[in-house]
Amino acid sequence: MPNTDLTRLRVALTVFFALDGFVFAGWVVRIPAIKEQTGASASTLGLALLGVSAGAVITMMLTGRLCRRFGSHPVTVVCGVLLSVSVALPPLTHSVPALGAVLLVFGAAYGGINVAFNSAAVDLVTALRRPVMPSFHAAFSLGGMLGAGLGGLVAAHLSPTRHLLALTVIGLLVTAVAGRTLLRHEPPAPPDRPRQEEHARRPLDGRTRGLVLVFGLIALCTAFGEGAMADWGALHLEQDLDAHPGVAAAGYSCFALAMTAGRLSGTALLERLGRTRTVVVGGTTAAAGMLLGALAPSVWAALLGFAITGLGLANLFPVAVERAGALAGPSGVAIASTLGYGGMLLGPPAIGFMADWFSLPTALTSVAALAAVAAAIGFVTRRTTAG
């Protein structure tokens, strides 16, 4: 495939990653308004929000099979349409069961597009022969920051119905433009494509499945930290360190900005250090940063710790998904993504239980422990996973 076509595919996939983050963040900022509209309590809202998680986890494994059968590019476009349409459904509901049902659909689209465009990105990374996977995930982070920022700005002026309908229109337009590039081009075929296609038709052997699970475990450890930081970072700053609410809210921003910066520089880092060293150094850095963030006696030291944690975790998930996909195609991406998403689901409630048993600072050290586990896995399996 000519380099110009590879460049077009890279731009199109980057746009889909950014769109995913933008749409999801736009929905998240309207959750309080949807809660009020449906009359949900905190507990019933939590149950309804499980619809997103359930839909995503159920669909991820199915999407791997769809990508093998129809190709990752058409599946990405279809899921892009479904994601854009389904984000407009929550404001149309007026009861918790109805909200849970439409969030199941939204979660299914969200999980599906994540597996599909990660599978397409793995093919492109192989064809480019450059470790550019972090750049796609940086686009997701930037899209999320833009979606959250714009959502916060328009929340006081637009109803949730109009806001999320606007996201639908934007999403469909972006999908129509970027999707044309994906539909015009087959996924790039590396030189050993015949061997890969033959392997993809066979069930995964025990060694390959084991390696995919190893990378999925690294994704789980990383996503656990992301989920915990999103839900508990601000509370730790405000409750344990007496931070002003505005400063406490900046805690997750420090983490997210550092993670985005880490992913933007991820390709250069991978080219310099390689995948194994990137995982080991990243996990170790995140562990040290989270220990500082959880146990520091001052707000500013904790904010610095959160930023260091974001830098450390930034490239672990992209590397894990890329390696799983290189080993087992869309099935590998689906397995690693499902484990990673499971870690994001597990993080917040696990931190909550540990905070009740011990304290919130102690509970947050579990993020450091799992980051250290990811680094240890990367080191122990360095020879097994080489090449």
Side-chain angles (χ1 to χ4, degrees):
M1 181 177 287
N3 287 335
T4 53
D5 289 342
L6 292 178
T7 300
R8 291 192 187 100
L9 280 178
R10 184 176 179 183
V11 171
L13 282 174
T14 299
V15 168
F16 272 108
F17 272 83
L19 176 66
D20 187 39
F22 179 79
V23 169
F24 191 80
W27 143 247
V28 166
V29 299
R30 300 318 297 251
I31 289 177
I34 301 297
K35 176 180 181 295
E36 182 178 351
Q37 175 179 305
T38 56
S41 66
S43 58
T44 56
L45 177 66
L47 289 174
L49 291 175
L50 281 177
V52 179
S53 308
V57 170
I58 291 169
T59 310
M60 280 177 169
M61 296 307 299
L62 174 63
T63 306
R65 299 189 187 99
L66 292 175
C67 288
R68 288 199 307 274
R69 181 170 182 179
F70 300 107
S72 56
H73 288 183
V75 176
T76 297
V77 175
V78 171
C79 288
V81 172
L82 292 176
L83 182 74
S84 301
V85 171
S86 61
V87 76
L89 299 179
L92 304 181
T93 62
H94 297 280
S95 69
V96 174
L99 178 62
V102 300
L103 289 182
L104 191 69
V105 177
F106 179 65
Y110 178 74
I113 196 171
N114 272 270
V115 171
F117 60 36
N118 271 298
S119 298
V122 167
D123 289 332
L124 186 58
V125 167
T126 304
L128 289 171
R129 300 183 182 277
R130 289 191 66 211
V132 298
M133 196 69 166
S135 68
F136 295 119
H137 288 261
F140 172 85
S141 298
L142 288 170
M145 292 167 61
L146 180 60
L150 287 177
L153 289 175
V154 304
H157 307 287
L158 291 179
S159 67
T161 302
R162 291 183 176 181
H163 175 201
L164 298 185
L165 183 60
L167 293 187
T168 294
V169 174
I170 293 170
L172 290 176
L173 288 174
V174 170
T175 299
V177 174
R180 290 179 60 191
T181 300
L182 293 190
L183 295 177
R184 280 204 306 262
H185 297 91
E186 293 289 327
D192 58 346
R193 183 56 173 262
R195 180 186 63 79
Q196 288 185 340
E197 289 180 345
E198 179 184 352
H199 174 75
R201 288 192 294 268
R202 300 198 309 267
L204 297 182
D205 59 58
R207 180 178 181 276
T208 301
R209 182 176 292 276
L211 288 175
V212 169
L213 290 174
V214 164
F215 290 119
L217 186 57
I218 292 175
L220 185 152
C221 293
T222 305
F224 181 98
E226 291 188 53
M229 287 298 300
D231 284 22
W232 292 101
L235 183 62
H236 166 58
L237 293 173
E238 189 170 346
Q239 171 184 292
D240 301 313
L241 298 177
D242 296 321
H244 184 276
V247 175
Y252 183 70
S253 298
C254 288
F255 172 82
L257 283 171
M259 176 170 277
T260 303
R263 286 176 171 174
L264 288 172
S265 59
T267 296
L269 188 68
L270 284 165
E271 288 177 334
R272 184 176 182 85
L273 298 181
R275 294 181 179 90
T276 296
R277 288 182 181 176
T278 297
V279 170
V280 173
V281 172
T284 303
T285 301
M290 199 61 234
L291 285 176
L292 176 62
L295 304 178
S298 70
V299 172
W300 301 112
L303 290 174
L304 175 62
F306 287 179
I308 294 172
T309 303
L311 284 173
L313 292 180
N315 296 303
L316 301 192
F317 192 95
V319 168
V321 170
E322 187 265 326
R323 294 309 298 151
L327 282 167
S331 295
V333 173
I335 292 171
S337 297
T338 302
L339 284 171
Y341 200 79
M344 188 169 288
L345 298 180
L346 176 66
I351 295 292
F353 283 120
M354 286 186 283
D356 283 341
W357 294 335
F358 307 106
S359 68
L360 183 52
T362 302
L364 287 173
T365 62
S366 63
V367 175
L370 286 182
V373 168
I377 292 172
F379 180 77
V380 169
T381 60
R382 64 192 182 282
R383 293 188 177 88
T384 307
T385 58

